[in-house]
Amino acid sequence: MLDAIKTSQNYRWYVLATVAIGTFMATLDSSIVNVALPTISGQFHSDLTTLQWVVSAYLLTITSLLPVFGRIADMFGRKKIYTLGFVMFTMGSVLCGFAQNIWFLVGTRVLQAVGASMLMSNSAAIITAIFPPKERGRALGFTGSVVALGSLTGPALGGLLIGFTSWRAIFFINLPIGIIGYFAACFILPKDLPSKDNESFDFTGAFAFTFGMIFLLLGITNGESWGWLSVPVLASLVLGIVSLVGFVFTERRVQHPMIDLSLFRNRPFLIGNLSGGLSFVAMFANNMLLPFYLQGILHYKPTQVGLMLMVFPMVMVFVAPVSGHASDKFGPIILTTSGLAISSLGLFYFSTLPATASFIRIIPGPILMGLGSGMFQSPNNSSVMSSVPPQKLSIAGGINSLVRNLGMVIGIAFSVSLFDVWGGVTLPQPSQVQGFMSAYHSVMLVAMGIAFVAALISYNRKSYAKSN
């Protein structure tokens, strides 16, 4: 049967399906924990500032290691790194499920994220190598939809699993999926040979980038709890910025840079990544706080929360393919700009919800968010990937993943900081409900503004080059 698959005219689509397993699993776990945070908070007696590290440590590790593993795979073989990614991710997931305290959970999430970065850094490159130019845009657009769908399905699926079993199930479910993905990668992915060009690995750039991202995001994430003017936060921000500036200078000098910064001179590439990153900042501001509103204020059970949050990805599943197909005919500008505008409207709607909202009253919010995200993601990914020459598609895909994860991390840290500044309490007592709602509404209005700015930026991408 495996020989039949490899000789089939549809072999490239089997490869795409295999890559989609790893991509979906890795992005799913960037958000599936969100809905479990109130439950984990009660069991481990942790506040929101500590809890956010369960999500942020995962995203921070991926963001720091994406370009590193992408470069390693280019040198030593993508299939080898991709299959190892399944092993690391599955092992980390099982250990997460056995966690007995909050910091062990954070540590095993880091291990999980190392595997996820191996998967995510190579998905675009594997697809690029197997698909002809005329189908590449559609395949990469599909991958982009899988990424967004994985990120947005997490809270919904997590709520259902927690409701029927326990919060540990959101990690154990990765065991069978990881095993299937590993064997599929071993037997279906094409063999690739390591680079024989004697290219050197940019150790200086890799260290500067990883060090810079860790300290920059460490300062952003802990700004509220440690104090924005405290020595640790200021030191983290300064070290992070200095390291990233050093990284830029290093990449401009070395013969084989880890990230090709010249791509950012490409206007559609720059605009697409900037608007995409901001869209994830806005979405994850809501993703982080909405489960606390549904459980802490409206007293929904995890199963009910899961059903509510399922509305978003269900709408997106129907809208994204239509939007992707339409962008091939009409270009991405109208679709991406309109999608971000609709997302902005959805965030505004969330800012109007009262502390006694009914199930029906809430539903328009996730519908608007799913519609807006579905309209935006596929055309934007297609625009970004179609704006670069074929020989740079792998690098462009890695940067696109990097920007997306950076947006998630900033969105989480930003929303938690603002929520705390404005007096929000994660699991409020009856006397604290008004303070929670005021803080939640304010954060949603800020997220609305970010999505609207992203729409304005998206409208200015101007040109669009289709794949040949």
Side-chain angles (χ1 to χ4, degrees), residues 327-350:
S327 71
D328 287 337
K329 290 187 174 182
F330 308 112
I333 296 178
I334 298 300
L335 289 163
T336 55
T337 305
S338 299
L340 287 168
I342 292 172
S343 294
S344 179
L345 181 62
L347 290 164
F348 174 75
Y349 185 84
F350 278 114

Side-chain angles (χ1 to χ4, degrees), residues 27 30 46 74 77 87 97 114 119 153-154 160 162-163 181 189 192 209 221 307 309 342 373 411 426 430 433 445-446:
T27 53
S30 66
S46 301
D74 282 340
V87 174
V114 172
L119 297 170
T153 304
L160 294 175
I162 294 165
L189 293 186
D192 55 4
F209 180 83
T221 303
L307 290 173
L309 298 180
I342 292 172
S373 185
T426 52
V433 168
L445 289 174
V446 172

Side-chain angles (χ1 to χ4, degrees), residues 375-393:
M375 288 178 65
F376 172 77
Q377 294 296 338
S378 290
N380 188 64
N381 283 309
S382 181
S383 172
V384 168
M385 301 307 291
S386 298
S387 66
V388 300
Q391 66 271 22
K392 293 187 177 181
L393 278 168

Side-chain angles (χ1 to χ4, degrees), residues 142-175:
F142 173 79
T143 305
S145 297
V146 170
V147 167
L149 194 59
S151 301
L152 302 170
T153 304
L157 179 60
L160 294 175
L161 289 172
I162 294 165
F164 290 115
T165 55
S166 77
W167 66 266
R168 299 180 188 277
I170 65 178
F171 298 112
F172 289 139
I173 194 175
N174 289 327
L175 179 59

Side-chain angles (χ1 to χ4, degrees), residues 295-314:
Q295 288 186 251
I297 301 299
L298 301 182
H299 306 294
Y300 284 3
K301 297 178 181 178
T303 308
Q304 294 174 302
V305 174
L307 290 173
M308 172 60 70
L309 298 180
M310 189 67 80
V311 174
F312 191 144
M314 285 181 63

Side-chain angles (χ1 to χ4, degrees), residues 114-336:
V114 172
S117 63
M118 292 179 175
L119 297 170
M120 295 175 67
S121 62
N122 290 292
S123 58
I126 292 171
I127 291 170
T128 299
I130 199 71
F131 275 86
K134 64 180 181 180
E135 294 180 333
R136 200 173 286 150
R138 184 158 57 129
L140 290 167
F142 173 79
T143 305
S145 297
V146 170
V147 167
L149 194 59
S151 301
L152 302 170
T153 304
L157 179 60
L160 294 175
L161 289 172
I162 294 165
F164 290 115
T165 55
S166 77
W167 66 266
R168 299 180 188 277
I170 65 178
F171 298 112
F172 289 139
I173 194 175
N174 289 327
L175 179 59
I177 299 173
I179 292 173
I180 292 171
Y182 172 76
F183 284 106
C186 285
F187 295 113
I188 294 178
L189 293 186
K191 293 181 180 179
D192 55 4
L193 298 175
S195 174
K196 295 183 179 180
D197 295 334
N198 294 321
E199 294 183 4
S200 60
F201 183 77
D202 180 17
F203 285 101
T204 303
F207 176 79
F209 180 83
T210 304
F211 187 85
M213 290 301 303
I214 288 174
F215 276 92
L216 180 64
L217 295 175
L218 184 68
I220 293 173
T221 303
N222 291 284
E224 175 57 27
S225 59
W226 293 352
W228 286 103
L229 297 179
S230 67
V231 173
V233 168
L234 291 177
S236 296
L237 294 175
V238 170
L239 284 172
I241 292 171
V242 170
S243 294
L244 291 176
V245 170
F247 167 75
V248 171
F249 280 107
T250 299
E251 298 304 278
R252 295 175 66 179
R253 292 180 179 180
V254 297
Q255 186 177 359
H256 303 293
M258 196 169 61
I259 296 178
D260 187 354
L261 298 176
S262 66
L263 287 173
F264 289 99
R265 297 196 202 97
N266 182 323
R267 185 182 179 91
F269 182 83
L270 174 62
I271 294 295
N273 274 289
L274 186 56
S275 59
L278 289 174
S279 75
F280 274 92
V281 171
M283 281 192 293
F284 269 70
N286 187 40
N287 279 11
M288 185 68 188
L289 297 179
L290 183 57
F292 287 95
Y293 167 65
L294 296 176
Q295 288 186 251
I297 301 299
L298 301 182
H299 306 294
Y300 284 3
K301 297 178 181 178
T303 308
Q304 294 174 302
V305 174
L307 290 173
M308 172 60 70
L309 298 180
M310 189 67 80
V311 174
F312 191 144
M314 285 181 63
V315 173
M316 188 175 172
V317 164
F318 289 104
V319 175
V322 176
S323 181
H325 181 69
S327 71
D328 287 337
K329 290 187 174 182
F330 308 112
I333 296 178
I334 298 300
L335 289 163
T336 55

